[in-house]
Amino acid sequence: GDSVTQMEGPVTLSEEAFLTINCTYTATGYPSLFWYVQYPGEGLQLLLKATKADDKGSNKGFEATYRKETTSFHLEKGSVQVSDSAVYFCALSGNTPLVFGKGTRLSVIA
Amino acid sequence: GAVVSQHPSRVICKSGTSVKIECRSLDFQATTMFWYRQFPKQSLMLMATSNEGSKATYEQGVEKDKFLINHASLTLSTLTVTSAHPEDSSFYICSASTGGMENIQYFGAGTRLSVL
């Protein structure tokens, strides 16, 4: 079945560092890909999405490109802030409800 | 983006009581809503898929008599945890799907249930 694998955390970075969180997927067909963010004690917020190959999703300085050839959707941000500290979930939507990765906890220190 | 309201955000109850959690899509009609459970520092576990006007589809291992789901309208789904026990303590999150070509899921803020 469909699955998502994302790098295990926690990831700890200094403010203004470059962030990459790797995400790869296995799916039949052509799924849509998502990154969700969960701040402490809250639900999930859609961060960005891409619906077809080579699409780039971007929001709040984060971006991810749908790479069909490598089945990847890595999340990147050029300069992280303390307020970016959260758990990030990669997810795909194919013929089933959203399939989530296990989440990557990011801590950004000043 | 679309807004999904989940209420209450936090509930503490005694063992044996029932708790109802509401999930509303505020600015769109959601033909499908989902209920998840999240354990500390873990990913979301899909409990059930709820379609308006029909019975919910439960994931394997989820007790349908324990977790009652009602999707009475295109904007409201409820989850009732019946005869709650301490092991039911968890973070419950709902989501609503926009359907159509985009079919994006928007999430509620979650409900933290603590059963004493």
Side-chain angles (χ1 to χ4, degrees):
Chain A
D2 296 352
S3 67
V4 174
T5 302
Q6 60 181 106
M7 63 185 287
E8 293 191 20
V11 175
T12 302
L13 295 174
S14 297
E15 211 166 20
E16 299 184 3
F18 184 86
L19 168 71
T20 300
I21 301 178
N22 290 338
C23 171
T24 57
Y25 67 91
T26 303
T28 54
Y30 304 96
S32 295
L33 301 174
F34 306 84
W35 276 100
Y36 283 86
V37 58
Q38 184 178 32
Y39 297 101
E42 298 184 13
L44 274 68
Q45 299 176 25
L46 178 64
L47 182 59
L48 54 84
K49 66 178 174 65
T51 57
K52 60 183 188 297
D54 299 325
D55 266 4
K56 177 185 283 189
S58 61
N59 185 26
K60 300 181 181 180
F62 291 90
E63 57 182 36
T65 302
Y66 189 143
R67 302 281 189 204
K68 190 169 182 297
E69 63 276 14
T70 54
T71 62
S72 65
F73 192 55
H74 304 322
L75 181 69
E76 297 182 336
K77 186 174 184 182
S79 176
V80 293
Q81 304 301 313
V82 173
S83 57
D84 294 326
S85 298
V87 181
Y88 293 81
F89 292 93
C90 184
L92 70 81
S93 174
N95 295 320
T96 56
L98 278 176
V99 176
F100 286 93
K102 291 187 176 181
T104 302
R105 183 174 300 276
L106 170 67
S107 296
V108 181
I109 54 178
Chain B
V3 177
V4 173
S5 173
Q6 186 173 341
H7 179 79
S9 59
R10 189 176 190 93
V11 59
I12 301 172
C13 69
K14 292 182 179 179
S15 186
T17 60
S18 294
V19 174
K20 180 184 282 189
I21 302 169
E22 289 190 351
C23 181
R24 294 180 184 272
S25 56
L26 295 185
D27 50 2
F28 67 101
Q29 292 185 330
T31 52
T32 305
M33 289 186 171
F34 304 89
W35 288 95
Y36 295 83
R37 184 172 180 175
Q38 186 180 32
F39 293 99
K41 298 186 178 182
Q42 295 191 26
S43 189
L44 282 73
M45 181 191 79
L46 180 65
M47 298 175 66
T49 301
S50 165
N51 290 295
E52 185 264 340
S54 63
K55 290 183 179 180
T57 302
Y58 290 81
E59 295 299 301
Q60 193 172 10
V62 178
E63 298 175 60
K64 61 181 68 175
D65 294 330
K66 159 69 90 174
F67 300 102
L68 299 179
I69 291 171
N70 183 278
H71 194 156
S73 75
L74 286 171
T75 59
L76 173 64
S77 176
T78 60
L79 167 68
T80 301
V81 182
T82 61
S83 187
H85 290 283
E87 58 266 29
D88 299 324
S89 299
S90 192
F91 194 56
Y92 294 88
I93 306 176
C94 74
S95 72
S97 174
T98 60
M101 291 291 290
E102 284 218 317
N103 199 23
I104 296 174
Q105 281 182 236
Y106 291 94
F107 286 79
T111 298
R112 182 158 303 285
L113 171 63
S114 299
V115 185
L116 305 178

